[in-house]
Amino acid sequence: MAAKQQAVAASGHTKMGEEKLIIRREKVRFIDVLSMLFLRRPITSYAFVEAGDRTAADFGSTPGDWLVALTQLIQKALDAAYYPALVIGAVVEFLLNFVALNNGILGIFLNIFKCKLVIPHREAPNFRSMIGLIDGRTELKPLPAGGGPEDRRLQVVGVSATGDDDYYVGVESGGGSTGTAVVPLVQQQYVNGRLIRLRTFSIFEVSMMAAKIAYENAAYIENVVNNVWKFHFVGFYNCWNKFVGDHTTQAFVFTDKASDASVVVVSFRGTEPFNMRDWSTDVNLSWLGMGVLGHVHVGFLKALGLQEEDGKDAAKAFPKASPNAVQGKPLAYYALREELKKQLKAHPNANVVVTGHSLGGALAAIFPALLAFHEERDVLDRLLSVVTYGQPRVGDKVFADYVRANVPVEPLRVVYRYDVVPRVPFDAPPVAEFAHGGTCVYFDGWYKGREIPKGGDEPNPNYFNPKYLLSMYGNAWGDLFKGAFLWTKEGKDYREGAVSLLYRATGLLVPGIASHSPRDYVNAVRLGSIATGKEEV
């Protein structure tokens, strides 16, 4: 089947309806799961499966294997937990914010006595999501003085300076080493007539922190971008999914400066811990044939603005021209594409960085592929980097090859240890031939990284190989121990609270869940080293 897909890609074939496999999980019964496991009926013979004519012909009598059956059981469990998880999540986040905003249990009683009790509001700039409660760090960590090009530097200002009079501006205080007045991180370039060499940050640092705060509300994100990072917040986008009938996709855009910016960053929100619909999307095996793009995960396409899942033409399924969006219901791909064009026109020297964690990483991986599909060269030619963290698989090998051939930068996919999300959806050929693309930057538990080039996969790619079982549980214990004591070596920025440590403890039950936390990804890009060939940087 892979050979057929390659031939389709080479011929420029754009038929879609003939190549698709959509599993309607709401129609799956427990007896169907048993049938897949024991009767081995052809997968396309089940009432819950919608397959294109070409797909049905290719599969023939191919049965659904145990990974397909397991996926349906997982999705059924996630569907059953959807509403209870939303309620539990809302209560937990409210209570934890209530305690934090009142400075602890004792602070609650003191504030009641003083009539100054703080009640959390979900859309307030001081309200944190569960991700923010696990890891509340917001400040960017600059590169050390003398950092070289191997750091994949993101130059936030076009200032280069040499000489004995140069000095660096601190991030937290904003003050220079000479004790002069406070200097904004980005806007100021001279103090007392002396040229300042402003701090620079690695692409990993900026993209990971942007991916982490994407989980927060719009007011929180704007406050961090403008007041903590001293960058320029452009906008927050709450986007519509016509198939779900809800705003399921969130992203934000910022630049390093309000004028003459050097970089425009787009960050997609990822899988929220208590949103079982997000988790179900991550593991979903359904895909659409998108012509030269190959087979692409249908759930992620819907989140970006897919128009048709039953059409026969990829250009109609995802048209180049923006569909007429209903007021208040913007479509993610089109809204962000137009905003990028606007920002690049306003900032002629700027380049683009696209990022996201988890589900957000999946959307970040597909976004530039759609730009290439629509020949949006004005944006693509200024693409600086695509970096994703804990990203699930988004397409097959044809998709990965298309991205490599048509997107001007090689996507970087960062994976921490046995994080479960990069190992889904399961690669279950020929029913679902999901494969990663780009270069994988794989970190182990002690933040030692290595590059796995050209679509190479991380260890235990389908998660269930028994030979990794002891290692996975050992890693979970190691991460819990490290989380409790890392601060003694690395300082207060790495001290973890009770919420973070409790989250790490979930890895003792389901290895790989705790490894998905953005905290370890932040630690990895700050403390880690990356082996590239014979070198370690």
Side-chain angles (χ1 to χ4, degrees):
M1 186 171 179
K4 292 182 181 181
Q5 292 174 7
Q6 294 286 359
V8 167
S11 67
H13 175 71
T14 58
K15 293 293 183 181
M16 174 179 154
E18 294 181 354
E19 292 191 62
K20 70 174 183 179
L21 185 89
I22 300 177
I23 300 175
R24 305 293 184 189
R25 69 178 188 275
E26 67 277 6
K27 297 182 179 180
V28 178
R29 303 167 299 173
F30 183 66
I31 194 172
D32 294 323
V33 176
L34 294 177
S35 175
M36 280 189 283
L37 289 173
F38 299 110
L39 298 183
R40 308 289 289 167
R41 283 172 49 192
I43 185 66
T44 55
S45 69
Y46 289 94
F48 60 83
V49 174
E50 294 180 14
D53 295 338
R54 190 186 190 102
T55 302
D58 285 344
F59 283 0
S61 59
T62 302
D65 67 6
W66 69 276
L67 284 174
V68 179
L70 178 62
T71 297
Q72 306 320 307
L73 288 176
I74 292 172
Q75 290 190 285
K76 284 294 184 184
L78 292 172
D79 288 345
Y82 177 68
Y83 288 107
L86 284 184
V87 173
I88 292 171
V91 171
V92 169
E93 287 183 346
F94 177 87
L95 291 176
L96 291 175
N97 275 279
F98 182 64
V99 172
L101 293 175
N102 288 284
N103 298 314
I105 302 297
L106 180 60
I108 292 173
F109 290 103
L110 290 175
N111 285 344
I112 291 174
F113 179 76
K114 297 176 182 178
C115 297
K116 294 183 178 180
L117 191 67
V118 181
I119 304 299
H121 297 282
R122 183 165 289 275
E123 300 305 319
N126 59 1
F127 188 95
R128 289 181 288 167
S129 71
M130 194 65 196
I131 296 297
L133 292 164
I134 290 171
D135 183 3
R137 293 173 293 184
T138 56
E139 292 185 340
L140 294 173
K141 181 179 176 63
L143 288 169
E150 67 274 5
D151 290 310
R152 304 182 190 275
R153 298 169 73 107
L154 175 61
Q155 188 75 36
V156 295
V157 276
V159 177
S160 60
T162 58
D164 295 337
D165 289 336
D166 300 333
Y167 62 100
Y168 286 86
V169 176
V171 174
E172 286 79 14
S173 65
S177 60
T178 60
T180 55
V182 171
V183 183
L185 180 63
V186 171
Q187 293 89 335
Q188 191 72 34
Q189 297 182 8
Y190 291 86
V191 172
N192 299 331
R194 297 172 60 196
L195 182 63
I196 296 176
R197 186 179 177 189
L198 295 180
R199 292 272 179 136
T200 58
F201 308 95
S202 74
I203 285 181
F204 282 145
E205 173 72 15
V206 173
S207 60
M208 182 57 234
M209 289 298 288
K212 185 174 82 73
I213 71 162
Y215 286 94
E216 309 306 324
N217 66 63
Y220 183 103
I221 295 171
E222 183 175 4
N223 178 59
V224 170
V225 171
N226 288 340
N227 300 321
V228 180
W229 297 353
K230 306 299 182 184
F231 289 169
H232 175 66
F233 177 78
V234 173
F236 179 86
Y237 304 85
N238 190 23
C239 300
W240 187 254
N241 184 328
K242 63 179 287 185
F243 295 91
V244 178
D246 198 0
H247 294 84
T248 66
T249 307
Q250 292 77 35
F252 73 99
V253 177
F254 67 94
T255 61
D256 61 314
K257 291 185 291 183
S259 60
D260 193 25
S262 62
V263 66
V264 183
V265 180
V266 179
S267 180
F268 291 90
R269 178 180 292 179
T271 307
E272 298 179 79
F274 292 106
N275 191 328
M276 298 301 105
R277 184 169 60 194
D278 285 356
W279 288 97
S280 185
T281 298
D282 288 345
V283 302
N284 191 357
L285 292 176
S286 299
W287 52 264
L288 291 177
M290 289 288 288
V292 294
L293 286 172
H295 295 174
V296 187
H297 188 288
V298 68
F300 303 146
L301 287 174
K302 289 177 180 179
L304 284 169
L306 184 75
Q307 294 300 294
E308 297 180 13
E309 64 176 15
D310 294 322
K312 294 182 179 296
D313 190 339
K316 289 183 179 180
F318 231 116
K320 179 174 182 177
S322 176
N324 294 324
V326 179
Q327 184 69 25
K329 296 180 179 179
L331 303 173
Y333 168 74
Y334 300 101
L336 293 168
R337 184 185 69 181
E338 295 312 305
E339 186 60 61
L340 282 178
K341 289 182 177 182
K342 178 181 176 181
Q343 293 301 317
L344 292 175
K345 184 177 181 180
H347 305 285
N349 297 314
N351 290 310
V352 176
V353 173
V354 182
T355 190
H357 170 265
S358 192
L359 171 62
L363 305 184
I366 297 176
F367 183 75
L370 290 173
L371 291 174
F373 182 63
H374 293 147
E375 299 181 341
E376 298 285 357
R377 301 309 313 179
D378 50 347
V379 179
L380 274 179
D381 290 344
R382 293 168 69 177
L383 190 62
L384 175 65
S385 185
V386 179
V387 192
T388 67
Y389 300 88
Q391 172 211 313
R393 299 180 176 106
V394 300
D396 62 1
K397 290 186 181 300
V398 176
F399 177 82
D401 291 342
Y402 178 87
V403 170
R404 186 172 296 115
N406 294 278
V407 176
V409 298
E410 176 81 357
L412 292 172
R413 183 176 60 87
V414 183
V415 177
Y416 176 73
R417 270 195 169 178
Y418 291 115
D419 182 349
V420 64
V421 175
R423 294 163 169 89
V424 298
F426 301 126
D427 179 26
V431 175
E433 297 183 311
F434 286 103
H436 278 303
T439 294
C440 175
V441 180
Y442 179 75
F443 285 99
D444 70 15
W446 306 109
Y447 306 130
K448 294 291 184 181
R450 58 187 173 93
E451 288 191 2
I452 308 173
K454 294 185 179 179
D457 227 327
E458 57 277 347
N460 194 17
N462 261 1
Y463 185 77
F464 288 105
N465 191 328
K467 80 174 186 178
Y468 291 99
L469 191 61
L470 289 178
S471 178
M472 291 169 69
Y473 277 103
N475 279 195
W477 279 105
D479 280 349
L480 181 58
F481 180 84
K482 178 189 63 187
F485 297 104
L486 183 64
W487 67 274
T488 61
K489 176 185 177 184
E490 301 295 345
K492 64 179 183 179
D493 283 348
Y494 300 92
R495 184 190 291 272
E496 297 189 26
V499 176
S500 180
L501 293 175
L502 283 172
Y503 180 76
R504 286 194 183 280
T506 64
L508 304 180
L509 300 174
V510 184
I513 292 291
S515 298
H516 191 56
S517 168
R519 174 178 283 278
D520 274 318
Y521 283 95
V522 173
N523 289 353
V525 302
R526 292 182 174 183
L527 302 176
S529 59
I530 304 173
T532 56
K534 297 181 179 179
E535 298 180 355
E536 191 173 271
V537 298

